[in-house]
Amino acid sequence: MQLDNGSWDQKYVHAAFEVDVGKGRATLHREQSLVLGKLLSGSNLAVSAPTSFGKSFIIDAFIALNEPDTVVIIVPTIALMDETRRRIFKKFSREYTIITAPDTTLGKRNIFIFPQERVFGYLSKIKSIDLLVVDEFYKASKVHDKERSPSLIKAIIKLSKKAKQRYYLAPNIKKLASNVFTDDMEFLELLDFNTVFLEKHELYREIDGDAGRKAEKLLEIIGSRTAKSLIYAGTYADIDRVANVVNDNMDTVDRPLTNHFSRWLRENYVKNWRLADLIERATGVHNGSMHRCLSQIQVKLFEHERGLDNIVSTSSIIEGVNTSAQNVIIWRSKLGSSKLKDFSYKNIIGRGGRMFKHFVGSIYLLEPPPKDEEAQLEIEFPEQILGDLDVDQDGDRLTADQLEQIVEYRQTMSDLIGEAEFARLRRDNVLHDSDSNFLLQLATDMRFNTGDWSGFGYLNSSNPSQWERMLYKLLRFKSTGWEGSFSNVVAATKAISRNWELDLSRLLAGLKNDGIGLDDFFKLERTITFKLSALVSDANELHKIIVNPDVDVSRFVAGLGHAFLPGPVYSLEEYGLPRMISKKIHRSRLIDFTNPDLSLHGAIDLFQSIGYQTISEIDTLSRFDKYVLRFFYDGITPLDQA
């Protein structure tokens, strides 16, 4: 609507749909207004809407209008956590404590934003939830996320008991099968409401499976550099193939941001990194394994007019960030090792176009799309989490057989560790693993093979070589999902123990001797900080109960959890501040990151009080360091100070 010369009735309609979305007003479209109205009336909603629907506005408007005391927002990835945190922080940090890390002191009013795995550290602190938001709740289905769906369901169960109101969001779900998690919620299917038009180009018919013609078509689309393009590659191998096509056939661009960024990557990681070659050609890479700050920087450059023209991605672009482009190119109809399904395909092409910017999104299909299906979401109870449930509180959701399994697990674990200890572990949500069968096996081995665990305390050693025997033992217990061989996991663990001491480029050079390249390192560091730290933490708790109460390797667990960096430094990477910049700030003595009393929010308070100008004057900071620092400050600055 052109309000300046619009009729009175157009102005009236515009005003009727205008709401406070936090530090500003925005006009909602019809379906957004419908959803917001139902939320404000107290309804529990499960909403399926297109990618371009604008679901974030609804959450912000609800907070601004209803002023709840406690909001919990569960997101699928760290990248989306930071994006959500930035938006919420700018609007509501004056009135709320925004919490993303486990060391944060709660305020009078709080907004929690984190992936489901971080929920359990806060359960005992959260007494009541005014609004529970689960973004991408389709991931509670094992069909869509086999590995992480149990922990999401566990989080939903635990949090729902404390929630006064629930709001679940997902794209492209046509029907919601009956299940105990959403049966008491109103399901709104709003898929027919689209804010952009998608124009599809079926180039695969001309390509006809020819790899050469496929590469030529890709270059035709992105070669003109007239529009931003998201290139969905599907697999890491296909990201490499696209990278080769771009690096071999496209000229470098002379742009300040890409020039400085490529130089920064070579200086701080490895000189011959292919990503730096791509950046010089205005093309970035987005995947779930590289350092989070790198993904954030590339998305920011992609949204800059004179930054990146293209981003090549795995599925991380559909679940990691809320970005879009005029063009979406399907290079490969795969999702990892599986064929791309219609549900994920629609999620990907939903990134094409943007309301108020590109009302028509161009979708280029270089391979045939999957068969059109009417998506029905089915959510089942994962058997492995039954041991973490309660017969009395959860009995109405379970079958007789499931109730029997809970009773049997409780009895067996109580026999192994004692009834009081078992009750404590469950009450305080001490154990990380959602697989009760695995925990039972671990406890059983400690009880009946106690001698094999006698060296557990060596994990506290300052000599990483003494960690090896116990790390191998633990890895054999949880034998899958480590992003590499056991020897690589152990080698990478020992190497990252020097993360704060060594420049990353030197650390990576040392890992070459173990056959671990940069891409391997990213995956290994991620799995060490997440999976290995959780495994050792659970083993530590059981070891103290069953084997030796005087042995506690919590310090080692903490080191694993933040890649042996000072805690605030690791958390600040999630906020967009790379470790190499934190090291320069630390060496300048403006902030002492090794201070054991310094929390994440304490560090943020220091950054805010010192100010960008003072920190930017550190003489060791490069021009691109200062650009990244400005981006970081933008994420910790309230809207009324921006």
Side-chain angles (χ1 to χ4, degrees), residues 610-622:
I610 295 169
Y612 167 79
Q613 188 59 43
T614 299
I615 293 184
S616 68
E617 291 171 358
I618 296 172
D619 57 10
T620 55
L621 293 177
S622 68

Side-chain angles (χ1 to χ4, degrees), residues 455 458-459 461-470:
Y458 279 116
L459 293 176
S461 172
S462 58
N463 179 2
S465 296
Q466 295 189 317
W467 305 344
E468 289 189 9
R469 187 182 75 84
M470 196 51 59

Side-chain angles (χ1 to χ4, degrees), residues 19 121 157 164 168 178 185 187 212 226 257 343 362 368 408 499-500 535 561 570-571 597 608 622:
V19 297
I157 292 171
K164 300 173 185 175
Y168 296 175
S178 177
M185 305 176 75
F187 177 57
T226 56
L257 283 174
F343 176 84
S362 297
E408 182 180 351
N499 244 339
W500 186 241
L535 172 58
Y570 183 73
S571 296
D597 297 324
Q608 290 173 331
S622 68

Side-chain angles (χ1 to χ4, degrees), residues 95-225:
E95 299 85 14
Y96 290 88
T97 301
I98 314 300
I99 299 171
T100 61
D103 65 347
T104 309
T105 302
L106 272 60
K108 185 177 179 181
R109 299 162 77 190
N110 303 284
I111 299 175
F112 299 84
I113 309 166
F114 34 46
Q116 64 254 26
E117 290 83 5
R118 293 193 182 178
V119 167
F120 308 111
Y122 276 107
L123 279 174
S124 60
K125 299 178 183 178
I126 302 174
K127 304 305 178 187
S128 177
I129 301 170
D130 294 297
L131 181 66
L132 169 63
V133 180
V134 181
D135 199 5
E136 311 288 355
F137 82 94
Y138 69 90
K139 287 182 167 291
S141 168
K142 64 181 181 182
V143 173
H144 296 292
D145 197 334
K146 185 178 181 181
E147 183 179 356
R148 296 178 68 208
S149 60
S151 64
L152 178 54
I153 289 178
K154 179 179 170 183
I156 288 173
I157 292 171
K158 300 285 186 183
L159 293 172
S160 293
K161 295 173 185 175
K162 301 171 183 276
K164 300 173 185 175
Q165 190 174 0
R166 289 165 291 144
Y167 177 39
Y168 296 175
L169 309 168
N172 303 319
I173 300 297
K174 198 70 178 175
K175 293 180 181 178
L176 183 59
S178 177
N179 66 86
V180 296
F181 308 104
T182 60
D183 277 349
D184 62 340
M185 305 176 75
E186 181 181 355
F187 177 57
L188 293 178
E189 185 266 293
L190 303 172
L191 296 179
D192 292 333
F193 186 87
N194 288 290
T195 58
V196 298
F197 176 76
L198 299 181
E199 184 178 70
K200 298 178 184 176
H201 304 269
E202 298 179 334
L203 302 182
Y204 63 87
R205 299 184 186 279
E206 302 173 42
I207 293 169
D208 195 27
D210 185 279
R213 282 202 293 267
K214 186 178 181 181
E216 289 171 5
K217 289 296 181 185
L218 174 65
L219 292 168
E220 283 178 19
I221 301 165
I222 65 175
S224 63
R225 303 189 186 279

Side-chain angles (χ1 to χ4, degrees), residues 558-599:
L560 290 173
H562 49 71
F564 295 94
L565 294 164
V569 171
Y570 183 73
S571 296
L572 286 169
E573 284 205 319
E574 295 178 358
Y575 279 55
L577 189 69
R579 63 192 67 174
M580 50 284 293
I581 297 179
S582 292
K583 287 181 180 182
K584 291 179 180 180
I585 295 170
H586 177 79
R587 289 167 188 153
S588 76
R589 300 188 178 180
L590 278 175
I591 299 176
D592 179 9
F593 287 114
T594 60
N595 180 351
D597 297 324
L598 184 65
S599 65

